[in-house]
C-alpha cells in the first residue's frame, strides 16, 4: 500500500482558480497534482467568445503571474477586458505548460469519486483523526482506464459550468425538458459567430435574467440588425429585475451590458420581445416544423410561444457527487461551502461581487480535515463570484495547509 508524502495535494480542475492554487502550492513546496477532465481552461474556452467584464488586472492570479513571469511571459494590458478564449490562450495554457507545472497538470483525467482511504463518510464524524488517512481519488483517463491516487490534502476547484440548472418552475425540469435538453442550449451561445446560422432569420427564445442571458439577448439584437427576420423572445421570472445588476457599478463593462439589456427589456428594439413574470411549464418539439412550443405560466394565465431555437441561460449548479464520500458541509439553499454561504448571505455588499466577505480560509473549512472547495463552486448556485475572490481563496487555503502539512 503506497502512502503519499504528507505535503501531497490533489487539485480537481485546471481552470483559473485550480491552476492558481497549483502555482501557489509549488511556492510552498507541496507535491501538487492537478486533475482535469478535459483540456486546460475548458470552461472559459466554452464561453470563449464572451468578453469578460473584469480587466486583466483582476483576471490573473498573483502566484500564476509570478510563475508566468519567471518563464518570460509578457502581461497583457492591465485595463483591457479579455474574452474567455483569451484568458485560456494567454494565461491558462502557458501556465500549465511551464516546466514547473507541465508534469503536474493531468488533462483528460476525470476525478470520478473521492473518499478517505479505508474510512466511510459516517465514520469518525468531525474527528481530526480522519486526517491520518489520505484522500483516495478514483481517476479515469480518456480511454476509460481507472487508477487510484492518494494525497493528504484536497482542493476541489471543479467549477459549476459543467452542470446547468433546469429551466422549469421551481428549478426542476419543465415538462419535456429532460427529453429535449440535448438539443436545446444551456450556454451563452455565440449567436453572431459560430452559431449564427442557427439563429439568423429565426425566432429564438432566451430564458434567464443574469449576465449570460443579457449577453445572449444583446447579441441576438445585433444579429437582428444584420439579418432581417431574426427575432428574440426574452423570458424572465421577475417582471423587470436583472440578476447581477448593481447600482453604481464600478465595472464599466458590466454596467454597459446591463444598461443595454435594460433598454431591451424596456422595448428599445422591436426585434426583441420581453415576457416578464413568467415560469416555464413545458417544452414540446414538432418534428415536422422543427419548432418548439413552449408553455409559460404568467400569473394566472398560461401563454404559448412558438420558436425555432431555445437558449436557457438559467445558471449553473455545483455537483458535489464527486466528493460525496467526504464530510463536506454545504449550504441547504445555495449548495456552496456552508460557512462562506452564511457569510455571503449576511454580507452588506448589495449583491455586488466586488464586495467579498472577509474570513479567509476559516470560511472554507469543512468537518472533513484538509478538504476545501474553492473557485466558482464555493459560491454554489450564486453567480456573484469573481476570479479575484477565487485567487484570494487559493492563497488563504494554501497558507493554512502550509502551516498544517509541512514538508516531510
Ligand atoms: C460566461 C461567463 C462569463 C464570466 N465572466 C467573468 C468575469 O468577467 N470576471 C470574473 O471574475 N468572473 C467571470 N465569470 C465567473 C468565473 O470567474 C468563471 O466561471 C471561472 O471560469 C471560474 O473559474 P474556476 O477555476 O473556479 O472554475 P472553471 O473555470 O469552471 O474550471 C473548473 C475546471 O474543472 C474541471 N472539472 C470539472 N469536474 C471535474 C472532474 N470531476 N474531474 C476533473 N476535472 C473536472 C472542468 O473541466 C474545468 O476545466 C464568468 C463566468 C461565465 C460562465
Amino acid at each position: 500500500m503506497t502512502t503519499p508524502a504528507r505535503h501531497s495535494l490533489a487539485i480537481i480542475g485546471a481552470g483559473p482558480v485550480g491552476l492558481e492554487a497549483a502555482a501557489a502550492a509549488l511556492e510552498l513546496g507541496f507535491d501538487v497534482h492537478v486533475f482535469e477532465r478535459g483540456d486546460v481552461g475548458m470552461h472559459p474556452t466554452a464561453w470563449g467568445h464572451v468578453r469578460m467584464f473584469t480587466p486583466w488586472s483582476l483576471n490573473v492570479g498573483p502566484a500564476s503571474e509570478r510563475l508566468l513571469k519567471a518563464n518570460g511571459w509578457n502581461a497583457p494590458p492591465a485595463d483591457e477586458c479579455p474574452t474567455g478564449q483569451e484568458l485560456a490562450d494567454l494565461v491558462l495554457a502557458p501556465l500549465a505548460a511551464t516546466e514547473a507545472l507541465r508534469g503536474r497538470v493531468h488533462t483528460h483525467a476525470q476525478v470520478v469519486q473521492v473518499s478517505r482511504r479505508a474510512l466511510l463518510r459516517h465514520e469518525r464524524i468531525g474527528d481530526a483523526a480522519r486526517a491520518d488517512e489520505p484522500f483516495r481519488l478514483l481517476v479515469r483517463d480518456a480511454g476509460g482506464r481507472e487508477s487510484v491516487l492518494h494525497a493528504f490534502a484536497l482542493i476541489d476547484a471543479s467549477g459549476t459550468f459543467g452542470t446547468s440548472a433546469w429551466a422549469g418552475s421551481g428549478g426542476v425540469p419543465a415538462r419535456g425538458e429532460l427529453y429535449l435538453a440535448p438539443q436545446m442550449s444551456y450556454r451563452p451561445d455565440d449567436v453572431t459567430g459560430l452559431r449564427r446560422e442557427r439563429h439568423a432569420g429565426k425566432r429564438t427564445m432566451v430564458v434567464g435574467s443574469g449576465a449570460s442571458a443579457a449577453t445572449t439577448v444583446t447579441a441576438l439584437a445585433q444579429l437582428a440588425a444584420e439579418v432581417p427576420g431574426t427575432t428574440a423572445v426574452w423570458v424572465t421570472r421577475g417582471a423587470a429585475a436583472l440578476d447581477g445588476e448593481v447600482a453604481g457599478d464600478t465595472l464599466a463593462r458590466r454596467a454597459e451590458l446591463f444598461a443595454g439589456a435594460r433598454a431591451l427589456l424596456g422595448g428599445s428594439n422591436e426585434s426583441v420581445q420581453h415576457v416578464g413574470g413568467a415560469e416555464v411549464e413545458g417544452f414540446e418539439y414538432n418534428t415536422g416544423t422543427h419548432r418548439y412550443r413552449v408553455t409559460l405560466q404568467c400569473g394566472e394565465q398560461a401563454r404559448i410561444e412558438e420558436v425555432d431555437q431555445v437558449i436557457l441561460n438559467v445558471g449553473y449548479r455545483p455537483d458535489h457527487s464527486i466528493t460525496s464520500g467526504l464530510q463536506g458541509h454545504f449550504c441547504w439553499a445555495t449548495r456552496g461551502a456552508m460557512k462562506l454561504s452564511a457569510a455571503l448571505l449576511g454580507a452588506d455588499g448589495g449583491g455586488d461581487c466586488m464586495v467579498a466577505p472577509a474570513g479567509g480560509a476559516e470560511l472554507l473549512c469543512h468537518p472533513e480535515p484538509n478538504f476545501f472547495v474553492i473557485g466558482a463552486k464555493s459560491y454554489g448556485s450564486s453567480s456573484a463570484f469573481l476570479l479575484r475572490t477565487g485567487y484570494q481563496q487559493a492563497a488563504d487555503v494554501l497558507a493554512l495547509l502550509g502551516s498544517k502539512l509541512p514538508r516531510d
Side-chain angles (χ1 to χ4, degrees), residues 11-19 35-44 47 50-55 58-59 82 87 92 109-112 156-162 188 211-212 215 251 316 322 374-378 383 385-391:
I11 297 176
I12 310 175
V17 179
L19 289 178
F35 300 97
E36 165 55 51
R37 71 176 165 194
D39 290 314
V40 167
M42 191 166 115
H43 288 168
W47 46 269
V50 177
R51 194 159 290 284
M52 300 179 75
F53 47 72
T54 48
L58 298 182
N59 294 338
L87 179 69
L92 307 183
Q110 180 190 4
V111 177
V112 183
D156 180 355
S158 61
T160 56
F161 191 75
S212 288
T215 302
L251 294 171
Y316 306 95
I322 30 175
I374 67 172
K377 192 169 186 176
S378 67
S383 59
F385 172 79
L386 271 193
L387 283 177
R388 181 175 78 164
T389 306
Y391 298 149

Side-chain angles (χ1 to χ4, degrees), residues 54 78 152 158 242 270 279 299:
T54 48
F152 273 104
S158 61
L242 290 172
E270 60 182 18
E279 298 284 330

Side-chain angles (χ1 to χ4, degrees), residues 130-145:
R130 281 178 70 88
D132 295 341
E133 291 295 338
F135 292 102
R136 181 181 183 277
L137 287 81
L138 178 65
V139 180
R140 186 181 291 152
D141 74 12
R145 284 175 295 270

